[in-house]
Amino acid sequence: MTNTTARQTPLHEIHSELGASFTDFAGWSMPVRYSSELAEHRAVRETAGQFDLSHMAEIELTGPQAADALDYAMVGALSKVAVGRARYTMLCDADGGVLDDLVVYRTGEARYLVVANAGNAAVVAGELRDRARGFDVEVADRSAEVALIAVQGPNSAAIVAEATGAELSGLRYYASMPATVAGDEVLLARTGYTGEDGFELFLPAGAAVRVWRRLAEAGAAHGLMPAGLACRDTLRLEAGMPLYGNELGTGLTPFHANLGRLVKLDKPGDFVGRGALEKADPDRVLVGLRGHGRRAPRHGYRLLYDNREVGEITSGALSPTLGHPIAMAYVPPEYAEPGTALSADIRGRGEPVEVVSLPFYRRPSTSKG
């Protein structure tokens, strides 16, 4: 049963028109699929998919010390990000545990846009306000004012170029630029969460319907399909991208998730979690698993070695692209070597799985970004 108190994005009526099935996600009513998640998944891998991501949180920091405040608040060196570029980073607590993984865009010399997961919106906004105290910076939660639409897949550049009239060949991965769609100004970023080339468009909430329709019109000749949360999850899993609440959480540091590269211990000054992260010595690490049967291990399933539990599945599915089960799990370092044979307890039966390198899928090298 759908929660009638769930928030709706500015595109809710569009999704209803398109016949979407909805699910409650982080307090939002979100389209989980329109036709079939398999068709939507394949569209993103082969042509393009269009996503409503307006449930994500957008928090803006402006002021002379915006860069200094973010360097203190987060594990990355955000002051080193050039205007027009973006960086994937993390907000950690004093113990080094991950409060959220984020993308931070530098949109001006003294202006940043922090994009947080929907379920962590209040935590991130609150922490940024607290950590910005003492700095000459203003922290403003713009989430209610901003809609976010993504176009992902091999044909995304052609679609977005037609919809915006912009020259995109010089727009690098993790870069952004101002653009116009259907007369509305957008921040156009070459970012995504699918493992494909793609774009994310930040725009005023009131322009969401116009921009969605214009993108759909531009994509009609390029195989563009509306795509929901279900295929977004299998796409990000194939790409080996962590999901907060599965692979990331307060009981885990970036080093647990093999993302220690995000922690810039060489940046000057203190930052929240520095002391704990300097001493981080993970007792378990994130690995990829390939299944050799047809049944996919799912979140929470036990992982075994010689009938002894050694870990737990964090995410798992039958890969639509690869045609076999894939999963991610945390295991002690001695079981993390690719080629290690383990088994997943799937409803009381041990199914063979093998540790493999992440990601499971890489887009063809001919794709941009």
Side-chain angles (χ1 to χ4, degrees):
M1 182 179 294
T2 301
N3 180 4
T4 56
T5 64
R7 297 174 65 184
Q8 297 180 356
T9 77
L11 292 163
H12 187 83
E13 293 306 316
I14 291 280
H15 305 318
S16 295
E17 288 176 17
L18 293 169
S21 300
F22 292 92
T23 189
D24 295 336
F25 182 80
W28 291 82
S29 177
M30 296 298 297
V32 65
R33 67 181 62 80
Y34 298 85
S35 53
S36 86
E37 57 197 77
L38 181 59
E40 293 164 24
H41 181 110
R42 286 178 172 163
V44 175
R45 288 283 180 252
E46 297 170 7
T47 54
Q50 183 173 2
F51 298 85
D52 177 12
L53 306 181
S54 301
H55 60 308
M56 301 289 279
E58 292 85 16
I59 300 136
E60 193 172 55
L61 282 81
T62 55
Q65 292 188 303
D68 297 327
L70 284 170
D71 277 355
Y72 172 71
M74 298 184 182
V75 301
L78 284 311
S79 58
K80 301 296 186 184
V81 178
V83 174
R85 299 305 306 271
R87 183 161 295 173
Y88 177 61
T89 188
M90 292 185 176
L91 186 78
C92 290
D93 61 23
D95 295 325
V98 178
L99 292 171
D100 201 16
D101 62 328
L102 315 137
V103 177
V104 179
Y105 299 85
R106 191 168 194 171
T107 57
E109 191 60 39
R111 185 180 297 271
Y112 290 81
L113 183 67
V114 176
V115 181
N117 287 298
N120 296 327
V123 169
V124 172
E127 286 291 331
L128 288 177
R129 289 191 186 99
D130 288 346
R131 299 179 189 193
R133 289 192 182 118
F135 294 93
D136 187 1
V137 61
E138 178 184 348
V139 180
D141 189 345
R142 305 292 188 197
S143 304
E145 308 163 25
V146 176
L148 177 56
I149 300 171
V151 179
Q152 301 280 305
N155 294 348
S156 59
I159 294 165
V160 172
E162 182 175 331
T164 61
E167 171 54 55
L168 302 178
S169 61
L171 186 65
R172 297 165 61 190
Y173 191 50
Y174 266 65
S176 67
M177 61 182 278
T180 303
V181 179
D184 294 294
E185 294 183 357
V186 306
L187 176 67
L188 176 63
R190 200 165 204 155
T191 46
Y193 192 54
T194 63
E196 295 295 339
D197 186 23
F199 300 83
E200 295 179 322
L201 294 83
F202 298 86
L203 53 134
V209 171
R210 289 190 298 274
V211 172
W212 177 279
R213 292 194 190 281
R214 177 65 188 110
L215 289 167
E217 178 187 355
H222 298 281
L224 180 67
M225 288 184 66
L229 290 182
C231 81
R232 185 169 156 85
D233 192 51
T234 51
L235 290 160
R236 70 91 194 167
L237 176 57
E238 288 183 345
M241 295 178 171
L243 175 66
Y244 194 89
N246 288 39
E247 288 74 40
L248 302 172
T250 54
L252 300 161
T253 70
F255 293 99
H256 285 88
N258 300 317
L259 292 170
R261 68 182 184 279
L262 303 180
V263 182
K264 303 304 181 184
L265 294 172
D266 58 347
K267 67 178 177 178
D270 195 15
F271 65 89
V272 178
R274 177 191 275 277
L277 291 168
E278 285 176 335
K279 298 179 289 187
D281 184 20
D283 59 346
R284 54 203 163 119
V285 293
L286 188 66
V287 298
L289 300 168
R290 172 181 174 155
H292 294 287
R294 293 298 299 171
R295 297 200 300 172
R298 305 288 180 176
H299 174 78
Y301 286 14
R302 297 187 309 145
L303 194 59
L304 309 172
Y305 179 82
D306 196 21
N307 292 320
R308 186 166 44 86
E309 184 171 347
V310 295
E312 185 175 288
I313 304 295
T314 55
S315 297
L318 180 63
S319 166
T321 304
L322 305 175
H324 57 72
I326 58 174
M328 290 193 282
Y330 277 101
V331 299
E334 58 266 32
Y335 300 105
E337 188 69 26
T340 301
L342 302 170
S343 63
D345 183 353
I346 302 180
R347 298 178 183 174
R349 178 176 172 179
E351 294 284 351
V353 295
E354 176 185 349
V355 176
V356 296
S357 299
L358 292 170
F360 302 103
Y361 165 86
R362 290 184 189 273
R363 66 178 177 264
S365 59
T366 53
S367 292
K368 178 76 176 177

